[in-house]
Amino acid sequence: MKMERDVLAKPAHAALDVARLRADFPILAERVNGHSLVYLDNAATTQKPQSVIDALAAYYEHDNANVHRGVHTLSQRATDAYEAARANIARFINARTTDEIVYTSGTTDGINLVAQSFARPRLAPNDEILISAMEHHSNIVPWQLVCAQTGARLVVAPVNDAGELMLDAYAAMLGPRTKLVAMTHVSNALGSITPIRRIIALAHAANVPVLVDGAQAIAHLPVDVQGLDCDFYAFSGHKIFGPTGIGILYGKAAHLEAMPPYQGGGDMIRSVTFEKTEYNDIPYKFEAGTPNIAGAIGLGAALDYVRHVGVEAIDAHERELLVYATERVTQIPGLRIIGTAKDKAGILSFTLEGVHAHDVGTILDHEGVAIRAGHHCAMPVMAQFGVAGTARASFALYNTREEVDALVAGIERVRRMFG
Ligand code: C6P
């Protein structure tokens, strides 16, 4: 099968020096079950470069203190590093100001924040939240919860057999009752890159704000929130070479200003009496309690790393790997690719006739090849494709053609075992 590659039409980027980049990631030298690790589960979480590990260690070794609270030197240093990371993140996604950058624990947390603080007060019975048929559970269940709380309805725009959003159907579903569109930028289960600019423009033409689930896009595609004009953009640090437990919710300042706090506690207040509490300014209004300070600093270091490598070059490298992997696995009898959108990120989901996806994953693990198997927290899209789950290989900047070859050799071995 030949896939359309818009990377071929893009200006050439200096090819990544992958061998050198791999040396930045200590875990890639691990041996697993007697084999060199082939890590192809990057959509679940990415590995961490030494610079991120060092930033975490340096923070705990030299600066560890609580932020925004102490007058002492360490607290000041921790606060400066924590806020410098916020400014770095704002630059990375081209937010207007740091006020628009809310620290969360991850994509899931950011979407729940928007569901409860933005959507809930605006929803009346029979209002609609519009999502797509290929959303991750994190971009389905928070909306179901808020629908149950308000009497609003969840409406689902269809996806075709290739795994592409059906734009005309989506446009027709936007109406006076639509109060929010919540859409993924890249599908974690299919790899499809959605036409997010068009999705946002159509929604805005109908006066509907848009949340983008950027979990699978942030490490792989350039993200410019002003260029996109999205109202909210949520992502997780751990999917962009940063630590777990830290994430970002970008929100337009006007929305964040108008929203009530999500959680109450320390740091999100200006003054408290038993009669009345005044809330802090944005973004602190949404950051109750001691935050993941080390996580934020580690995320800042991760973004420095990605900036240094170059996100366009990363995108080009991963697309090239996807073309190669797609061509190779297409030769394997009984292998069906789930998700054949024209525009795809480096995610290859597949089934193997007569073999359970978990068996594929387990046997590949014996060869040191790490992939994910199962429904990928996207059960509705699995149902649409008539499968309980898939095996999924997902690429990052450090993956190589040789690793794709190891994947293919592993799949051939699975076939022989079950053949
Ligand atoms: N997908 C995967 O293996 P958290 O868990 O909050 O960091 O990210 C949630 C999430 C939201 N949206 C999309 C599109 C995602 O892919 C994910 C996480 C991982 O595909 C773990 S289920």
Side-chain angles (χ1 to χ4, degrees):
M1 186 187 63
K2 204 89 190 133
M3 297 186 68
E4 246 181 68
R5 294 290 121 206
D6 71 347
V7 66
L8 297 177
K10 284 185 177 174
H13 298 283
L16 296 187
D17 184 350
V18 177
R20 194 178 56 72
L21 294 175
R22 287 179 70 80
D24 296 335
F25 292 80
I27 205 168
L28 297 180
E30 283 293 302
R31 290 188 68 78
V32 172
N33 298 321
H35 299 269
S36 297
L37 169 65
V38 173
Y39 188 77
L40 299 176
D41 195 15
N42 295 288
T45 199
T46 52
Q47 299 302 348
K48 318 305 171 199
Q50 190 63 51
S51 58
V52 169
I53 299 168
D54 288 347
L56 293 172
Y59 166 70
Y60 282 121
E61 282 171 12
H62 301 292
D63 300 332
N64 179 48
N66 214 325
V67 289
H68 303 146
R69 288 159 169 87
V71 291
H72 60 80
T73 302
L74 287 192
S75 175
Q76 198 50 56
R77 290 217 298 249
T79 302
D80 289 349
Y82 179 73
E83 292 303 332
R86 194 192 305 270
N88 189 359
I89 293 153
R91 276 198 309 280
F92 191 81
I93 60 171
N94 194 29
R96 277 167 213 85
T97 70
T98 52
D99 299 349
E100 297 181 318
I101 303 297
V102 180
Y103 283 124
T104 63
S105 67
T107 310
T108 305
D109 192 28
I111 296 173
N112 276 280
L113 193 167
V114 175
Q116 291 302 316
S117 287
F118 181 78
R120 188 174 177 179
R122 294 163 175 245
L123 290 173
N126 296 320
D127 281 345
E128 294 174 356
I129 304 276
L130 179 53
I131 64 170
S132 85
M134 60 179 147
E135 299 305 321
H136 184 280
H137 297 164
S138 291
N139 203 25
I140 301 173
V141 183
W143 308 118
Q144 288 176 328
L145 289 169
V146 80
C147 284
Q149 289 158 343
T150 60
R153 297 189 316 120
L154 190 65
V155 178
V156 182
V159 162
N160 67 18
D161 291 345
E164 295 161 333
L165 181 74
M166 296 170 76
L167 255 188
D168 290 348
Y170 159 75
M173 291 170 123
L174 286 162
R177 293 202 158 134
T178 319
K179 291 295 178 292
L180 185 78
V181 166
M183 212 54 86
T184 198
H185 197 169
V186 173
S187 157
N188 71 317
L190 307 173
S192 325
I193 301 175
T194 58
I196 201 70
R197 271 175 199 278
R198 198 80 194 100
I199 288 167
I200 294 166
L202 285 164
H204 284 178
N207 277 323
V208 179
V210 180
L211 172 138
V212 181
D213 173 349
Q216 295 297 343
I218 193 70
H220 311 283
L221 301 174
V223 172
D224 173 349
V225 291
Q226 288 191 68
L228 289 175
D229 197 28
C230 54
D231 296 273
F232 298 98
Y233 196 99
F235 66 91
S236 304
H238 71 97
K239 296 203 199 277
I240 182 161
F241 314 108
T244 51
I246 187 78
I248 297 299
L249 175 69
Y250 158 82
K252 283 183 178 168
H255 291 322
L256 295 177
E257 296 278 12
M259 286 158 58
Y262 176 42
Q263 294 179 322
D267 220 28
M268 50 74 71
I269 55 87
R270 184 167 297 130
S271 70
V272 178
T273 66
F274 287 120
E275 289 71 39
K276 184 172 178 351
T277 290
E278 281 186 31
Y279 304 126
N280 206 338
D281 295 330
I282 61 166
Y284 311 110
K285 182 170 79 174
F286 298 104
E287 296 176 357
T290 299
N292 184 351
I293 305 162
I297 293 167
L299 174 55
L303 299 188
D304 286 341
Y305 184 83
V306 170
R307 200 181 274 119
H308 169 71
V309 176
V311 75
E312 280 89 2
I314 295 171
D315 181 21
H317 171 71
E318 292 172 358
R319 287 180 193 241
E320 194 272 328
L321 275 183
L322 180 70
V323 179
Y324 179 63
T326 304
E327 281 169 1
R328 290 234 41 206
V329 302
T330 304
Q331 329 272 318
I332 300 175
L335 188 144
R336 173 185 169 207
I337 296 176
I338 306 292
T340 51
K342 282 198 188 77
D343 202 10
K344 273 183 76 174
I347 290 177
L348 186 67
S349 249
F350 59 90
T351 57
L352 204 51
E353 203 176 356
V355 190
H356 195 285
H358 282 140
D359 291 330
V360 178
T362 306
I363 296 164
L364 285 173
D365 181 57
H366 291 157
E367 313 273 311
V369 180
I371 61 154
R372 184 168 172 189
H375 55 60
H376 314 298
C377 301
M379 290 173 91
V381 80
M382 296 291 119
Q384 168 165 347
F385 282 84
V387 296
T390 70
R392 182 190 71 183
S394 50
F395 306 120
L397 60 90
Y398 38 67
N399 290 124
T400 63
R401 281 179 169 237
E402 291 70 29
E403 290 183 311
V404 171
D405 293 340
L407 169 73
V408 171
I411 300 170
E412 291 288 10
R413 195 170 139 79
V414 176
R415 270 193 66 241
R416 284 197 299 278
M417 287 171 76
F418 283 81

